[in-house]
């Protein structure tokens, strides 16, 4: 046990809308169960969120509450926000009361806002986990209500964010992955050759058109060089039909549930720079070419830059990822096993695998301090 088993009887996890909020919450739920087998874990979500598909399917309790995105500019939604938020907070507090919540742990997304307000009004310990720079709107608001802030990466603290760096909770299958030991199994799982250099391409669960077009266009050159491809093109993108007769396997799939096997199969990853993706591939020591999402506030670039500067990856702008770039930069890198080994070691030194355990320690401190008052 980790110190306070009697105090963690019921934990409410708030984080929904996208996989980047849901996955660390569920990884932390698994950690809670390892240390506290009888703990009640309740996840909060909204009827429209991705959580309705993911959380019950993995066997966790999900309570749906009304929640609304916070308006970023003055409009009619801004006028409606106080009434809507009061309604959502009241409904969320009922959930906290019904499960006798000992603590609320939030991971962001707009379902977190009423959870943070309900915890504050109920005097329930509140711990917030933030992995983005700058923080999301929900977590910026929640940070005003608690001193217990957990950060996913050291670069967040270096950028001036307040909180304790704990890492990002990862699923055990990824946190415990031995890429080398699992490589043969992984390549067999995807019908790949066990010995060829392997490029894995993923734009996340929804895919990324730029990555898809550049890699598909370079398929013939990659195959001619003996490089095989696992192309995860995304559920919302047009199907990428695997080219034939390139000289090497080219496997295209819309989605991969067991991403740990995709990581194990890869010698190099071509990907976006989402915080969850970065946390996973840093942890398993996988070299990557990062193509940050070109819109938004630049957080994907900030996520990838530290490991790129440490020698664990490369960064290319979305507008510069072309067929020519894949053929002239990525292809030669895949043929250089010594360079890939150096990059893998550098990425692994930056990553950490204990984010769930470190977050649990912080949660226990918050609960203990609340109980001592």
């Amino acid at each position: 046990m980790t110190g306070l088993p009697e105090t963690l009887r019921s934990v409410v996890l708030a984080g929904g809308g996208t996989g980047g909020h849901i996955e660390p919450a569920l990884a932390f739920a698994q950690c809670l169960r390892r240390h506290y087998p009888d703990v009640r874990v309740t996840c909060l979500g909204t009827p429209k969120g991705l959580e309705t598909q993911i959380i019950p399917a993995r066997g966790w309790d999900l309570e749906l509450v009304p929640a609304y995105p916070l308006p970023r500019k003055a409009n009619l939604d801004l006028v409606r926000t106080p009434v809507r938020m009061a309604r959502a907070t009241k409904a969320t507090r009922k959930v906290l009361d019904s499960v006798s919540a000992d603590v609320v742990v939030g991971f962001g997304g707009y379902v977190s806002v009423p959870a943070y307000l309900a915890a504050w009004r109920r005097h329930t310990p509140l711990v917030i986990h933030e992995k983005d720079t700058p923080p999301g709107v929900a977590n910026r608001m929640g940070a005003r209500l608690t001193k217990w802030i957990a950060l996913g990466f050291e670069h967040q603290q270096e950028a001036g964010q307040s909180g304790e760096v704990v890492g990002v909770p990862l699923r055990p299958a990824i946190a415990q992955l031995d890429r080398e030991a699992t490589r043969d199994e992984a390549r067999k799982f995807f019908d790949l050759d066990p010995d060829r250099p392997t490029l894995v391409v993923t734009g996340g669960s929804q895919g990324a058109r730029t990555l898809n077009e550049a890699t598909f266009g370079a398929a013939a050159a990659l195959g001619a060089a003996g490089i095989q491809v696992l192309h995860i093109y995304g559920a919302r993108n047009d199907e990428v039909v695997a080219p034939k007769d390139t000289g090497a396997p080219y496997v295209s799939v819309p989605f991969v549930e067991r991403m740990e096997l995709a990581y194990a199969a890869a010698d190099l990853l071509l990907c976006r720079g989402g915080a969850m993706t970065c946390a996973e591939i840093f942890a398993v020591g996988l070299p990557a070419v990062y193509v940050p999402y070109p819109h938004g506030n630049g957080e994907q670039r900030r996520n990838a830059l530290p490991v790129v500067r440490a020698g664990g990856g490369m960064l290319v702008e979305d507008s510069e990822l072309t067929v020519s770039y894949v053929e002239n930069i990525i292809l030669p890198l895949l043929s250089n096993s010594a360079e890939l080994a150096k990059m893998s070691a550098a990425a692994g030194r930056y990553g950490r695998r204990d984010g769930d355990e470190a977050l649990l320690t912080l949660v226990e401190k918050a609960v203990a301090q609340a109980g001592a008052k």
Side-chain angles (χ1 to χ4, degrees):
M1 293 294 184
T2 53
L4 297 167
E6 71 279 7
T7 64
L8 291 184
R9 298 177 299 269
S10 178
V11 179
V12 172
L13 306 180
T18 68
H21 297 131
I22 299 165
E23 291 296 344
L26 294 186
F28 183 62
Q30 289 180 281
C31 179
L32 282 166
R33 276 284 162 78
R34 287 198 303 272
H35 289 277
Y36 301 97
D38 297 324
V39 68
R40 180 172 188 170
V41 177
T42 306
C43 302
L44 296 178
T46 70
K48 296 181 180 180
L50 190 61
E51 56 269 24
T52 60
Q53 303 171 37
I54 295 176
I55 293 176
R58 296 199 192 168
W60 299 100
D61 291 339
L62 175 65
E63 290 287 341
L64 300 179
V65 297
Y68 309 93
L70 293 176
R72 298 172 186 267
K73 57 184 179 181
N75 56 22
L76 187 57
D77 283 337
L78 183 62
V79 176
R80 294 170 175 165
T81 292
V83 173
R84 287 175 167 177
M85 197 56 62
R87 184 185 308 126
T89 302
K90 183 178 180 181
T92 306
R93 180 164 181 171
K94 285 183 178 179
V95 174
L96 302 190
D97 289 340
S98 70
V99 301
S100 301
D102 295 317
V103 61
V104 172
V105 185
F107 295 85
Y110 57 83
V111 71
S112 296
V113 176
Y116 298 162
L117 290 170
W120 176 65
R121 292 177 180 175
R122 190 174 180 266
H123 304 289
T124 301
L126 171 61
V127 180
I128 295 176
H129 186 276
E130 177 57 72
K131 63 188 185 317
D132 289 317
T133 304
V137 174
N139 281 358
R140 283 206 305 272
M141 187 283 294
R144 300 175 183 177
L145 308 177
T146 181
K147 68 176 183 178
W148 301 103
I149 308 295
L151 301 177
F153 302 98
E154 291 180 0
H155 69 259
Q156 294 175 269
Q157 207 171 57
E158 293 166 0
Q161 289 179 236
S162 298
E164 179 177 332
V165 179
V166 302
V168 178
L170 304 175
R171 290 185 291 121
I174 290 175
Q176 299 166 14
L177 178 66
D178 183 328
R179 287 177 53 230
E180 186 173 353
T182 313
R183 181 171 292 118
D184 287 349
E185 173 196 347
R187 292 185 177 178
K188 183 177 181 181
F189 181 85
F190 292 112
D191 293 325
L192 296 168
D193 188 296
D195 300 317
R196 290 181 184 271
T198 304
L199 173 66
V200 174
V201 182
T202 176
S205 60
Q206 306 306 325
R209 186 176 297 275
T210 303
L211 277 65
N212 290 346
E213 292 176 351
T215 310
F216 188 73
L222 291 166
I227 294 166
Q228 62 188 351
V229 178
L230 171 60
H231 191 153
I232 308 167
Y233 57 83
R236 290 189 179 177
N237 282 275
D238 295 336
E239 181 180 1
V240 174
V241 179
K244 298 177 181 179
D245 303 323
T246 65
Y250 193 112
V251 177
S252 61
V253 292
F255 178 76
V256 168
E257 177 66 32
R258 299 188 63 187
M259 276 303 295
E260 71 276 7
L261 292 183
Y263 294 152
D267 291 303
L268 181 69
L269 190 71
L270 176 62
C271 61
R272 288 297 195 196
M276 201 67 206
T277 296
C278 287
E280 291 178 348
I281 60 181
F282 296 172
V284 303
L286 178 57
V289 176
Y290 298 94
V291 189
Y293 185 61
H295 308 292
N297 55 21
E299 69 273 14
Q300 291 200 359
R301 165 183 282 275
R302 286 188 285 270
N303 292 338
L305 268 179
V307 81
V308 169
R309 289 170 175 162
M314 299 170 60
L315 191 147
V316 56
E317 299 298 339
D318 185 86
S319 60
E320 296 174 2
L321 182 70
T322 61
V323 172
S324 176
Y325 185 93
V326 176
E327 293 177 348
N328 296 321
I329 305 297
I330 294 178
L331 190 158
L333 177 59
L334 277 156
S335 303
N336 189 338
S337 58
E339 183 63 23
L340 287 173
K342 285 172 55 180
M343 293 173 68
S344 177
R349 284 193 295 270
Y350 191 81
R352 59 184 294 174
R353 298 174 181 243
D354 65 341
D356 54 351
E357 298 284 343
L359 178 58
L360 177 58
T361 298
L362 190 67
V363 168
E364 290 171 334
K365 289 179 183 177
V367 174
Q369 187 170 109
K373 291 181 180 179

